Amino acid sequence: MVRTRRGSPVSGRLLLISRLLMHSSLKKPSSFSTNTNEAKPNTTPAKHRHSSIPETRVSQKRSFEPTTHPCMMPFLSPKLDFEEVVLQISWQVCFSCSAKKREDYLEWPEYFMAVAFLSAQRSKDPNSQVGACIVNQENKIVGIGYNGMPNGCDDDLLPWSRSADDRLDTKYPYVCHAELNAIMNKNSADVKGCTMYVALFPCNECAKLIIQAGLKEVIYLSDKYHDTPEMMASRRLLNMAGIQYRQFQPKRTQIVIDFNSINQAGMLNGAPH
Ligand SMILES: [Zn+2]
């Protein structure tokens, strides 16, 4: 019964915390010992204890088997019944998980590339959404951009097509690439010595901008147009200018933004976070 809870830690946590708060109304099982003289000593370090938990609950905890590391799910004796199991798991959530640093946080490169990809979602291009994020040497974002039509130019009137009999009826003569917009949107005096995170390897026109703006490095994710003349020219320019470029190797294939996550955890006994 207990081990089935491993698969859904977040929802399980909410359920269990609510059950903990309801604990005072639970009927004590006949096998549940509150005699602290007979109870086994609690071997869990005191620093993991939650100061706002009533002592009676802590005393009841002493009738349980000692656990492993507080942030691991409890290992329970099979003799415990359901109500005891609920209390045990609740105790684990209260005293341990909230005190341990997150391990699955975004590292800087993932974060900046994710910002570039999120920015790309602003693009109205039906075929290609590209974002770019410029970061200075202090890991501060100084510019973000995505592909789109120039300011003041109605993107309902300009074409978004990739091909047409007349090139003027395609998007290419008009659209501003993400790299251009990121540089032009900079919120610092310049972007000299900065790094650009970009979803696609920059074309030759963007390579010119990157060079002239003084960027020192380009970190891209996709190089799907590697063999086109534009990309070959781009590499030629970047190489000659001494600008580093390398492909980003993500540790995860996707990052999900869940607006509901802020409501799912972190509240206990009225204490935020
Ligand atoms: Zn470009």
Side-chain angles (χ1 to χ4, degrees):
M1 179 181 299
V2 176
R3 295 182 187 279
T4 60
R5 294 183 181 278
R6 285 174 179 263
S8 55
V10 174
S11 59
R13 179 180 302 180
L14 288 176
L15 171 65
L16 297 167
I17 290 173
S18 66
R19 285 188 178 276
L20 174 62
L21 297 176
M22 293 167 56
H23 167 61
S24 59
S25 64
L26 292 176
K27 180 181 179 181
K28 185 172 63 180
S30 58
S31 62
F32 193 99
S33 171
T34 56
N35 185 339
T36 55
N37 292 328
E38 297 175 2
K40 295 183 179 180
N42 187 335
T43 58
T44 306
K47 66 180 179 180
H48 290 291
R49 297 186 182 182
H50 197 295
S51 60
S52 62
I53 298 297
E55 179 61 27
T56 54
R57 298 181 187 175
V58 176
S59 298
Q60 289 167 354
K61 167 63 182 63
R62 291 174 182 168
S63 66
F64 295 135
E65 294 292 327
T67 59
T68 56
H69 188 278
C71 287
M72 299 175 66
M73 293 297 284
F75 178 79
L76 296 171
S77 166
K79 69 183 179 184
L80 298 177
D81 68 15
F82 177 73
E83 289 185 346
E84 288 172 323
V85 169
V86 169
L87 288 172
Q88 173 77 347
I89 296 175
S90 298
W91 190 90
Q92 290 291 325
V93 172
C94 293
F95 296 122
S96 59
C97 296
S98 61
K100 192 174 190 319
K101 188 181 80 173
R102 280 182 69 220
E103 298 294 339
D104 61 341
Y105 60 88
L106 289 180
E107 295 179 355
W108 284 123
E110 293 177 300
Y111 173 63
F112 297 134
M113 189 60 81
V115 168
F117 270 73
L118 182 63
S119 172
Q121 291 305 303
R122 280 282 306 149
S123 175
K124 297 172 185 174
D125 189 322
N127 298 302
S128 178
Q129 300 84 43
V130 183
C133 176
I134 301 174
V135 181
N136 70 13
Q137 290 162 321
E138 298 176 339
N139 279 336
K140 293 175 180 173
I141 294 174
V142 295
I144 298 175
Y146 56 88
N147 56 317
M149 295 302 176
N151 294 339
C153 300
D154 193 333
D155 51 26
D156 287 322
L157 299 179
L158 290 169
W160 288 106
S161 301
R162 302 177 72 181
S163 62
D165 292 337
D166 188 340
R167 183 171 168 81
L168 290 176
D169 292 328
T170 71
K171 64 179 179 179
Y172 297 111
Y174 313 106
V175 74
C176 296
H177 285 183
E179 299 94 320
L180 181 156
N181 282 329
I183 292 171
M184 296 306 296
N185 291 341
K186 65 182 181 298
N187 56 18
S188 58
D190 58 57
V191 291
K192 286 183 171 59
C194 292
T195 297
M196 175 180 284
Y197 289 79
V198 62
L200 269 178
F201 190 86
C203 72
N204 60 311
E205 293 297 328
C206 291
K208 298 175 191 174
L209 291 166
I210 289 167
I211 293 167
Q212 298 302 77
L215 288 156
K216 70 165 187 180
E217 185 178 25
V218 175
I219 300 175
Y220 60 95
L221 198 142
S222 172
D223 193 18
K224 62 181 180 180
Y225 300 123
H226 181 272
D227 296 325
T228 63
E230 290 81 2
M231 301 305 162
M232 295 170 70
S234 176
R235 288 194 296 275
R236 187 174 186 177
L237 291 172
L238 294 175
N239 288 338
M240 293 179 74
I243 295 178
Q244 303 292 315
Y245 53 87
R246 59 186 170 89
Q247 190 164 29
F248 181 63
Q249 303 294 340
K251 292 180 179 177
R252 56 187 108 196
T253 57
Q254 63 177 5
I255 296 170
V256 177
I257 297 175
D258 178 4
F259 288 131
N260 287 323
S261 64
I262 194 67
N263 294 319
Q264 290 178 350
M267 295 292 289
L268 180 66
N269 290 344
H273 311 298

